[in-house]
Amino acid sequence: MTTIERIKRLARMRGWSLQLVAQKAGIGINNIYTWNKKTPSTKSLDKVAKVLGVPIDYLLGNTDKLNYPNDNKDKSKVNEAVDLPILGSIACGKPIFAEQNVTGYFPTLKNDLPSGDNFWLKCDGDSMDPTIKNGAYVLIHYQPEVENGDIAAVLLNDDEDATLKRISTQKDQTVLIPDNKQYPPIILNKDNPGKIIGKAIRMQSEL
């Protein structure tokens, strides 16, 4: 991988855009784009490396080890990347992580993940705009219950389709509330069942 490709990969792991990396490093985004054609200065590369928490040697391709120190006392702990599945339409009657449901994989930092099963969903539509943009990837922690106000992934239509909505539980029904006020809420009850499959904990999208 080139330096730019490594920076983009690390940014995706953290749910950041390349623009955000540049902003955090105090470097113009156009400056980073020029690194496709010329070697970056050590000073600029050091700023990006510190923002991403990796040694410069990783960005230059001299090592594949990702060292993410948790504090100034311990420099040895390594935060490995794991490939989490990206789920598309959920195949009816199949387990959620069945091969038929997986459309790809997303590298994600292992130490940043809650324990248990995690996966990514790609947002299709603007019902959660402006919180979640169309096309954004949302990291979901697999859990059957969430608190009111949380954004959750919910299975609808006989467990075939997944949707992202804000949750409000009211007595014997659950209301799925879109952040985009142009869309009506969805009522889940015994006549219109649905199932929460996880809580949204992070989003990644390109500017």
Side-chain angles (χ1 to χ4, degrees):
M1 290 187 292
T2 66
T3 295
I4 288 290
E5 289 172 339
R6 287 174 179 258
I7 292 173
K8 287 182 176 180
R9 181 172 186 266
L10 289 166
R12 286 197 300 269
M13 291 178 188
R14 292 188 173 277
W16 295 351
S17 65
L18 191 60
Q19 177 72 44
L20 183 57
V21 173
Q23 180 181 338
K24 287 178 175 289
I27 299 173
I29 185 64
N30 290 333
N31 185 14
I32 291 182
Y33 283 134
T34 64
W35 296 354
N36 277 321
K37 298 180 180 179
K38 68 177 184 179
T39 303
S41 69
T42 301
K43 182 177 180 180
S44 295
L45 198 60
D46 183 59
K47 290 180 179 180
V48 172
K50 287 179 178 178
V51 165
L52 295 171
V54 296
I56 289 180
D57 278 345
Y58 176 81
L59 298 183
L60 291 174
N62 297 328
T63 179
D64 286 326
K65 293 183 178 180
L66 297 175
N67 296 312
Y68 290 87
N70 289 346
D71 52 50
N72 292 330
K73 296 180 181 179
D74 188 352
K75 304 292 184 180
S76 63
K77 294 185 178 179
V78 175
N79 192 354
E80 298 177 348
V82 294
D83 287 328
L84 294 184
I86 302 170
L87 302 187
S89 295
I90 308 302
C92 187
K94 300 291 183 181
I96 187 172
F97 295 110
E99 183 179 352
Q100 294 93 330
N101 301 333
V102 178
T103 61
Y105 292 88
F106 212 127
T108 311
L109 294 176
K110 186 175 180 179
N111 289 0
D112 294 342
L113 295 172
S115 59
D117 291 322
N118 302 278
F119 58 93
W120 291 88
L121 281 178
K122 187 174 182 180
C123 182
D124 183 14
D126 62 351
S127 67
M128 289 303 292
D129 187 74
T131 309
I132 302 175
K133 299 292 186 181
N134 180 33
Y137 289 91
V138 181
L139 180 61
I140 306 294
H141 176 57
Y142 187 71
Q143 59 186 75
E145 296 180 355
V146 299
E147 297 182 0
N148 282 345
D150 286 343
I151 296 175
V154 183
L155 286 180
L156 303 173
N157 302 324
D158 295 324
D159 292 353
E160 188 171 358
D161 296 317
T163 186
L164 291 166
K165 294 291 184 291
R166 204 171 292 277
I167 302 298
S168 177
T169 301
Q170 304 170 3
K171 294 183 179 180
D172 59 347
Q173 66 181 21
T174 297
V175 183
L176 309 183
I177 304 172
D179 281 5
N180 187 337
K181 303 306 180 184
Q182 296 182 8
Y183 291 83
I186 300 172
I187 308 297
L188 299 182
N189 50 38
K190 63 179 182 179
D191 297 320
N192 184 38
K195 180 171 64 177
I196 293 173
I197 55 175
K199 177 182 177 180
I201 58 176
R202 192 187 310 164
M203 180 190 71
Q204 190 275 333
S205 75
E206 296 292 338
L207 292 177

